[in-house]
Amino acid sequence: MELMSVNKRIRNIAILLAVALILVTVIRLYYPVPSYSSVASYRSSSGIAPASYHAGDVEITDDQEKCDIFAGEWVPNPEGPYYTNKTCWAIHEHQNCMKYGRPDSGFMKWRWKPDGCDLPVFNPYQFLDMVRGKSLAFVGDSVGRNQMQSMICLLSRVEYPIDVSPTSDERFKRWKYESYNFTFGYFWSPFLVRSGSRDSDGPMHTGLFNLYLDEFDESWTTQIDDFDYVIINAGHWFTRTAVYYENGHIVGCRFCQLPNMTDLPMTYAYRRVFRTAFKAINGRENFKGVTFLRTFAPSHFENGLWNQGGNCLRQRPFRSNETLLEGLNLDLYMIQVEEFRAAQREEKKKFRLLDTTQAMLLRPDGHPSRYGHWPNENVTLYNDCVHWCLPGPIDSWADFLLHMIKMEARRTYKEKLLQHQKKMQ
Ligand SMILES: *[C@@H]1O[C@H](CO)[C@@H](O)[C@H](O)[C@H]1NC(C)=O
Ligand SMILES: *[C@@H]1O[C@H](CO)[C@@H](O)[C@H](O)[C@H]1NC(C)=O
Ligand SMILES: *[C@@H]1O[C@H](CO)[C@@H](O)[C@H](O)[C@H]1NC(C)=O
Ligand SMILES: *[C@@H]1O[C@H](CO)[C@@H](O)[C@H](O)[C@H]1NC(C)=O
Ligand SMILES: *[C@@H]1O[C@H](CO)[C@@H](O)[C@H](O)[C@H]1NC(C)=O
């Protein structure tokens, strides 16, 4: 009986919220914010579909709440993409595939369709409304930066952020959406733990890193208290040669060819760094936010490894029955999820899985390949099958994220109502 009345109240409040949001929407439609109207003319000439913001998008339906949004297929989306390299300045040079002559554009015209429900395409207005007064940090490697830049481009239909970075160091950025008092933080930490170059003249000498598997990388662990959401990721850097430390002592290394050292697989380090990163988060007294683990996004080198001429030349997504998560990809994924579950079980902080692995496994067509630079340029990753072109499939991560933030709001609401109920008894 009590539960029923809670449900009824939730429904009433949901209706109130929907009405409030419709009002906000109507107001916004008639009185667009200045930054929007200035990009609007720009946008309409480039033929990009305008943003719509229907009340129907706001509510999460029951089938969506129960649905596993991460199991599904890519389906054609003639409306995409939602920005171009002409409307968005935030595209990283090496992911500006159209600039460097990528001949096909079909890879920008897909959206993710979960098997059990529909996942709405990202709505930048709704997102900014939901994160008003909040902040979101990306912690990890350049694929995390890739995601942040995708979001800046998707949000550029509403507003561009201003650079409020504490230093000029490109590894630590802050972007602020002034009209929404919303901030993105970016923390470069490809190994998530304390690391260093083994050689005094930098890692380029032998390419060897020292990884301190049980030591926090304080450049981010001491900074997250201010953030409401933290999206954490790591993966591709663990294929590099490195010497592994635990308790301040060398425990082994990966492909380092130093005398008397135990060779350890990258999975050894991978498990320990997630354990350490989650321990750091669980130990932050003042951190009240939600941590999203953005799971490993597989690379798609075919016919060779990254440094042996491997490339990614496909022009359409796989269907889910055409490929399988296996080998190292599966191992890395399982390790992440296991360590994530262990951290969650401590019940100290909120942990959520932004489980992009399956969706991205199906996108061999979304990487820059050789279109991340001019043909005559001498770059390390000549055929890039790791990062994602912008616009491109990584834009769908925003669809997932918005859904999860809505779920978070719903959860908070239910908790508050239950607390209220308890007090009334
Ligand atoms: C955008 O891409 C086009 C090709 O579609 C290219 O000609 C142009 O230089 C690019 N512009 C920017 C600003 O990257
Ligand atoms: C902006 O948000 C922060 C929290 O992220 C809050 O402390 C601050 O008071 C807000 N400022 C305004 C002007 O609302
Ligand atoms: C390697 O181990 C052997 C036997 O324990 C020892 O004699 C040798 O000095 C060690 N070499 C290095 C470089 O530590
Ligand atoms: C995968 O599924 C699709 C649609 O159900 C089907 O048409 C196709 O033949 C299947 N492909 C394979 C390799 O099983
Ligand atoms: C590319 O750069 C590397 C390191 O900077 C250098 O060793 C190599 O010779 C260069 N290759 C070409 C083709 O210029």
Side-chain angles (χ1 to χ4, degrees), residues 160-420:
Y160 272 111
I162 55 165
D163 189 345
V164 292
S165 307
T167 68
S168 59
D169 190 337
E170 288 298 310
R171 299 171 307 161
F172 305 99
K173 301 290 291 183
R174 297 273 168 115
W175 293 103
K176 178 152 193 180
Y177 289 83
E178 280 194 303
S179 324
Y180 292 87
N181 189 21
F182 169 67
T183 308
F184 278 133
Y186 171 66
F187 298 90
W188 167 254
S189 182
F191 296 115
L192 297 178
V193 294
R194 187 163 85 84
S195 64
S197 154
R198 189 147 183 90
D199 309 297
S200 52
D201 56 349
M204 288 312 150
H205 185 66
T206 56
L208 262 184
F209 288 91
N210 285 332
L211 298 196
Y212 303 90
L213 303 180
D214 52 0
E215 293 183 40
F216 301 165
D217 175 359
E218 293 187 348
S219 68
W220 70 268
T221 59
T222 60
Q223 302 297 309
I224 57 170
D225 293 359
D226 300 337
F227 287 88
D228 299 282
Y229 309 105
V230 174
I231 303 182
I232 190 166
N233 86 91
H236 300 288
W237 281 63
F238 289 85
T239 57
R240 298 181 187 223
T241 58
V243 177
Y244 300 149
Y245 287 77
E246 279 174 285
N247 264 319
H249 298 294
I250 293 177
V251 289
C253 72
R254 171 177 161 75
F255 293 156
C256 63
Q257 294 173 326
L258 295 175
N260 291 355
M261 275 208 209
T262 317
D263 217 32
L264 287 172
M266 67 184 273
T267 48
Y268 179 90
Y270 202 59
R271 181 178 297 284
R272 280 157 186 80
V273 302
F274 276 102
R275 201 170 283 173
T276 304
F278 293 142
K279 184 176 165 198
I281 293 169
N282 268 330
R284 289 304 294 182
E285 190 91 356
N286 293 321
F287 175 64
K288 303 276 182 265
V290 182
T291 303
F292 297 96
L293 169 63
R294 198 274 294 155
T295 61
F296 186 64
S299 61
H300 292 91
F301 292 99
E302 292 186 65
N303 302 313
L305 298 175
W306 70 275
N307 54 358
Q308 295 167 1
N311 205 353
C312 36
L313 295 170
R314 292 178 190 268
Q315 298 197 349
R316 63 163 203 86
F318 286 129
R319 288 192 58 88
S320 61
N321 61 1
E322 291 175 313
T323 186
L324 210 58
L325 192 67
E326 57 193 359
L328 184 61
N329 285 338
L330 179 61
D331 291 345
L332 295 180
Y333 176 74
M334 291 308 291
I335 287 171
Q336 285 191 307
V337 174
E338 282 164 20
E339 292 306 319
F340 168 87
R341 298 276 177 235
Q344 204 175 33
R345 273 197 299 274
E346 291 194 28
E347 297 190 346
K348 289 194 182 125
K349 309 283 172 191
K350 294 176 186 165
F351 287 96
R352 314 278 181 246
L353 212 52
L354 179 47
D355 197 349
T356 50
T357 301
Q358 172 63 15
M360 301 323 273
L361 176 71
L362 304 183
R363 296 309 303 269
D365 58 328
H367 300 287
S369 171
R370 64 177 180 276
Y371 304 109
H373 53 85
W374 299 119
N376 54 352
E377 256 178 289
N378 185 2
V379 296
T380 320
L381 199 55
Y382 194 84
N383 294 327
D384 182 351
C385 304
V386 173
H387 300 94
W388 305 93
C389 294
L390 294 186
I394 195 171
D395 294 328
S396 299
W397 296 4
D399 307 356
F400 293 130
L401 185 64
L402 177 54
H403 174 89
M404 294 178 83
I405 286 177
K406 286 188 209 169
M407 293 281 281
E408 224 44 64
R410 195 179 229 222
R411 214 174 255 162
T412 310
Y413 231 95
K414 281 187 177 168
E415 278 164 14
K416 280 204 179 130
L417 274 175
L418 279 173
Q419 273 168 12
H420 185 69

